[in-house]
């Protein structure tokens, strides 16, 4: 009796498992048939935004390889010779126009200036005396006390001394200019390079090596080439306002610049035209 119960229990379990298996298989077949018979979905709808039409500027991008060049590069040379007493700049520093860069021994040029001033004072004294003499001679000529020849000689003496005073004034100005040149100043605003001569050396006027090289960095020039077919549109864009340049490595804005010049010639081999700012 006990064995019969276990047999019936196992038979019920097998029947229940078979029923679950066939039902699951039938459900899978129906789902596959439904998917096979379904139609493919169409393209999804795209959202459309409505805005009022208006006129505005749009950016124009032209890619080209160029180089950054300084507007001005000046080799500062001494304009007079002498011992270089001081060097007043730091290598790589930014200097203003007119800033003192070096000092040459001014004592010899002060002496030359003093000599020129003394010579001028001497000739001015002689000119004053000649004018007084001319006044006396003119009075005597009116009374027929002296001849006309004496009057002519006095007039010539005054004219000669006047010319000598003018020459003395030119000598004074030249000596003063040489004295001013003993103070070497920056001709432009920019950044100094390596010091080319040290203090204590004897420099000569307009020596080839110079004292230092000053490079102007603000503003700076950007030179590059563009295809010739882009030249008209680029010229119009430049006339409307400033352009911007981005370096390729960092992809960040460097500065705004305006067009200064277009090259007047086109390279035939590459059909490009040089552009500078």
């Amino acid at each position: 009796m006990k064995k019969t119960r276990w047999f019936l229990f196992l038979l019920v379990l097998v029947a229940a498992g078979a029923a679950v298996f066939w039902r699951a298989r039938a459900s899978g077949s129906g789902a596959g048939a439904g998917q096979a018979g379904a139609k493919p979905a169409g393209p999804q709808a795209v959202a459309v935004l409505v805005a009022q039409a208006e006129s505005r500027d749009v950016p124009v991008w032209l890619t080209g390889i160029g180089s950054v060049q300084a507007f001005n590069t000046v080799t500062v040379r001494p304009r007079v010779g002498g011992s270089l007493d001081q060097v007043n700049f730091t290598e790589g520093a930014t200097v203003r126009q007119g800033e003192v860069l070096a000092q040459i021994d001014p004592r010899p040029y002060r002496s030359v200036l003093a000599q020129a001033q003394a010579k001028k004072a001497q000739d001015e004294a002689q000119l004053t005396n000649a004018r007084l003499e001319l006044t006396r001679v003119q009075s005597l000529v009116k009374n027929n006390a002296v001849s006309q020849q004496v009057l002519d000689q006095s007039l010539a003496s005054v004219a000669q001394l006047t010319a000598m005073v003018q020459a003395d004034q030119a000598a004074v100005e030249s000596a003063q200019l040489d004295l001013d040149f003993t103070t070497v100043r920056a001709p432009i605003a920019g950044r100094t390079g390596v010091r080319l001569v040290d203090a204590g050396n004897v420099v000569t006027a307009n020596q080839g090596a110079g004292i230092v090289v000053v490079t102007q960095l603000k503003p700076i020039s950007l030179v590059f080439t563009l295809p010739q077919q882009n030249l008209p549109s680029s010229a119009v864009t430049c006339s409307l306002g400033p352009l911007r340049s981005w370096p390729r490595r960092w992809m960040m804005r460097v500065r705004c610049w305006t067009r200064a010049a277009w090259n007047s010639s086109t390279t035939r081999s590459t059909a490009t035209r040089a552009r500078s700012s």
Side-chain angles (χ1 to χ4, degrees):
M1 187 68 178
K2 189 175 182 180
K3 291 182 179 181
T4 303
R5 290 179 179 179
W6 278 106
F7 178 76
L8 292 175
F9 180 72
L10 291 176
L11 185 61
V12 171
L13 288 178
V14 171
V20 172
F21 173 75
W22 286 108
R23 186 174 180 179
R25 184 175 180 182
S27 299
S29 299
Q35 292 179 357
K39 295 182 179 180
Q44 297 181 354
V46 179
V48 177
L49 300 178
V50 179
Q52 184 178 1
E54 59 181 345
S55 177
R56 66 172 60 180
D57 295 335
V58 295
V60 178
W61 300 96
L62 298 175
T63 303
I65 299 176
S67 60
V68 179
Q69 300 177 4
F71 264 125
N72 297 296
T73 302
V74 180
T75 301
V76 181
R77 296 182 174 88
R79 303 183 68 173
V80 294
S83 175
L84 187 62
D85 290 346
Q86 299 177 4
V87 176
N88 300 331
F89 66 90
T90 303
E91 296 176 344
T94 301
V95 296
R96 301 182 303 272
Q97 184 177 6
E99 184 174 344
V100 177
L101 299 180
Q103 180 66 53
I104 300 173
D105 186 7
R107 292 175 295 177
Y109 300 97
R110 288 175 182 168
S111 299
V112 174
L113 177 60
Q115 292 176 359
Q117 291 173 341
K119 181 66 169 57
K120 179 184 177 183
Q122 180 182 0
D123 291 339
E124 284 178 342
Q126 293 181 1
L127 177 60
T128 301
N129 183 49
R131 286 173 176 171
L132 293 174
E133 183 69 23
L134 176 61
T135 302
R136 288 192 294 266
V137 171
Q138 288 175 343
S139 300
L140 294 174
V141 169
K142 291 179 180 180
N143 297 326
N144 294 324
V146 295
S147 63
Q148 184 66 31
Q149 182 180 1
V150 176
L151 177 61
D152 295 339
Q153 290 177 353
S154 297
L155 291 172
S157 178
V158 170
Q160 181 181 4
L161 290 173
T162 302
M164 291 178 63
V165 171
Q166 292 176 352
D168 293 338
Q169 179 62 32
V172 169
E173 292 177 358
S174 178
Q176 182 65 55
L177 191 60
D178 289 341
L179 180 61
D180 294 340
F181 285 157
T182 58
T183 302
V184 182
R185 301 181 182 274
I188 60 174
R191 181 166 295 178
T192 60
V194 179
R195 184 175 65 252
L196 302 178
V197 62
D198 297 327
N201 288 280
V202 176
V203 296
T204 59
N206 300 319
Q207 65 180 18
I211 298 176
V212 68
V213 177
V214 180
T215 304
Q216 180 183 359
L217 299 180
K218 294 181 180 180
I220 203 166
S221 175
L222 179 62
V223 180
F224 59 95
T225 57
L226 291 176
Q228 61 181 2
Q229 61 267 22
N230 296 128
L231 181 60
S233 60
S234 300
V236 172
T237 304
C238 290
S239 63
L240 294 178
L243 281 74
R244 294 176 172 85
S245 61
W246 279 260
R248 190 170 184 177
R249 182 189 303 176
W250 300 288
M251 293 301 294
M252 60 181 292
R253 186 164 68 112
V254 177
R255 61 183 298 272
C256 295
W257 49 275
T258 56
R259 177 180 61 86
W262 291 96
N263 194 346
S264 58
S265 61
T266 302
T267 305
R268 295 184 178 180
S269 59
T270 59
T272 57
R273 182 176 295 236
R275 167 105 164 51
S276 65
S277 68

